[in-house]
Amino acid sequence: MTAVPDNSPGQRTRRRPSRLSRGFVVAVPYLWLLFFFLLPFLIVFKISFSQTAIAQPPYLPVIGLADLVSGGWTKLRQLTIDNYTWIAGDPLYVKAYLSSLRMAAISTALALLVGYPVAYGIARAPRSIRSLLVMLTILPFWTSFLIRVYAWIGILKNEGLLNQLLLWLGVIAQPLTILNTDVAIYIGIVYSYLPFMILPIYASLERMDHRLVEAANDLGCPPTRAFWAITFPLSLPGVLAGIFLVFIPAVGEFVIPDLLGGSSTLMIGKTLWDEFFSNRDWPVSSAVAVVLLMVLVIPIMIFQRLQARQEGAV
């Protein structure tokens, strides 16, 4: 006997809360992005078209919601693109952007070289200790980010632990100058963001069917060739996710270059800080932030669209 679905009004009433709950769950992330990303970005975007002024806040015109409601649209005519013209014509900002992209790319490559073997080792470890290894990977996050960066000052300075160890081993005759150099910045960024590289790669490798590698070995494929033909392509989603998670925050990093790189370090995050707090030039600093966001977001969107087209063509 075939069961007849119950379409009674009571049954439909009982189904309705589940639909509302699903809609609420879907709406929460969008509301979060709206209030904590889009609205702040629009405020910064609006300030980037303003002019610096000795006032509070230090820019003009100040356009609020009340002005728009009361018909104060004439203030919009006072907005200008001079801040963007200034950034494009000043070599300092161009060099800061290029230097930040270069240092972030090198740091991301180093993080990948260090993080991939670690993730591979965790994925191939016995299941009984994988959770422990993952916990050890995220253990640094239990300590303050600022304290961890300060700790590297004591390690990398001329009288630090690293130089003392190398002198004791006889590797060097004089202390190495590592602090306040680009090398120190690379070390700080790789150390700080290495878990963001390891965890996505580990997630991809852990889901991989390792029987494919075993089958390749049984057919006479060398381990190195099997890795590049099977393991690495299957882990590419995790590799790309790790690259984005490390590269994007590294471009705008301020704390690590300021503490480990010294005053001569030229990165856009440090330049943005100086414009906002030292020079009190909110319009220029807002324009710098908007350009930085465009530099990062637009290539990523183009890459994701091309990747989606390739996946759809397969």
Side-chain angles (χ1 to χ4, degrees):
M1 182 175 180
T2 305
V4 179
D6 187 3
N7 294 325
S8 61
Q11 182 70 15
R12 290 197 298 269
T13 303
R14 287 194 296 270
R15 291 177 180 174
R16 187 173 302 168
S18 63
R19 295 176 182 176
L20 293 177
S21 62
R22 287 197 299 269
F24 177 77
V25 170
V26 173
V28 167
Y30 289 100
L31 292 175
W32 177 275
L33 292 175
L34 174 64
F35 287 103
F36 295 101
F37 176 76
L38 183 59
L39 290 181
F41 172 74
L42 292 177
I43 294 173
V44 172
F45 187 68
K46 184 259 295 184
I47 295 176
S48 68
F49 291 98
S50 303
Q51 300 177 3
T52 306
I54 303 177
Q56 187 63 30
Y59 62 89
L60 292 174
V62 179
I63 303 174
L65 182 61
D67 297 326
L68 299 179
V69 173
S70 60
W73 294 91
T74 54
K75 288 187 176 182
L76 295 177
R77 299 177 182 176
Q78 303 178 24
L79 299 179
T80 177
I81 61 171
D82 291 344
N83 299 316
Y84 293 95
T85 306
W86 171 268
I87 293 174
D90 194 336
L92 172 66
Y93 298 102
V94 178
K95 291 180 180 178
Y97 282 115
L98 295 178
S99 176
S100 298
L101 293 173
R102 175 181 58 83
M103 299 188 73
I106 295 175
S107 301
T108 303
L110 294 175
L112 179 60
L113 291 176
V114 176
Y116 197 100
V118 175
Y120 184 82
I122 297 175
R124 298 302 299 267
R127 290 187 177 273
S128 58
I129 64 172
R130 286 184 191 176
S131 300
L132 176 62
L133 295 176
V134 172
M135 186 193 70
L136 293 176
T137 302
I138 64 177
L139 189 62
F141 286 111
W142 297 1
T143 308
S144 171
F145 175 77
L146 190 61
I147 293 176
R148 287 186 281 130
V149 177
Y150 266 114
W152 278 103
I153 297 178
I155 296 174
L156 299 178
K157 64 182 181 180
N158 291 348
E159 303 81 13
L161 297 176
L162 179 59
N163 277 311
Q164 293 298 325
L165 177 61
L166 295 177
L167 288 171
W168 180 72
L169 293 175
V171 178
I172 58 176
Q174 295 180 352
L176 298 176
T177 303
I178 303 176
L179 193 64
N180 298 330
T181 62
D182 291 349
V183 175
I185 298 176
Y186 296 142
I187 294 174
I189 293 177
V190 171
Y191 166 76
S192 300
Y193 295 105
L194 187 60
F196 293 110
M197 181 67 73
I198 294 175
L199 295 177
I201 298 176
Y202 163 72
S204 296
L205 293 173
E206 200 272 338
R207 292 194 302 264
M208 189 185 75
D209 189 357
H210 295 284
R211 292 176 298 180
L212 298 173
V213 179
E214 296 176 359
N217 293 332
D218 293 339
L219 294 174
C221 183
T224 304
R225 184 176 179 183
F227 172 81
W228 290 110
I230 299 174
T231 304
F232 187 77
L234 292 177
S235 65
L236 273 180
V239 172
L240 294 177
I243 289 174
F244 288 149
L245 290 175
V246 174
F247 179 79
I248 293 175
V251 173
E253 181 59 52
F254 160 72
V255 175
I256 296 175
D258 186 59
L259 296 180
L260 301 182
S263 58
S264 61
T265 303
L266 185 61
M267 289 189 70
I268 198 62
K270 197 168 181 296
T271 305
L272 179 60
W273 173 276
D274 292 337
E275 288 291 349
F276 194 87
F277 291 98
S278 300
N279 300 336
R280 297 281 294 175
D281 197 337
W282 288 20
V284 170
S285 59
S286 298
V288 171
V290 171
V291 173
L292 177 61
L293 182 64
M294 295 297 104
V295 168
L296 294 176
V297 170
I298 292 178
I300 292 174
M301 293 178 61
I302 295 174
F303 173 79
Q304 290 181 339
R305 178 167 295 184
L306 293 175
Q307 189 178 21
R309 288 181 180 178
Q310 292 177 358
E311 291 178 356
V314 176

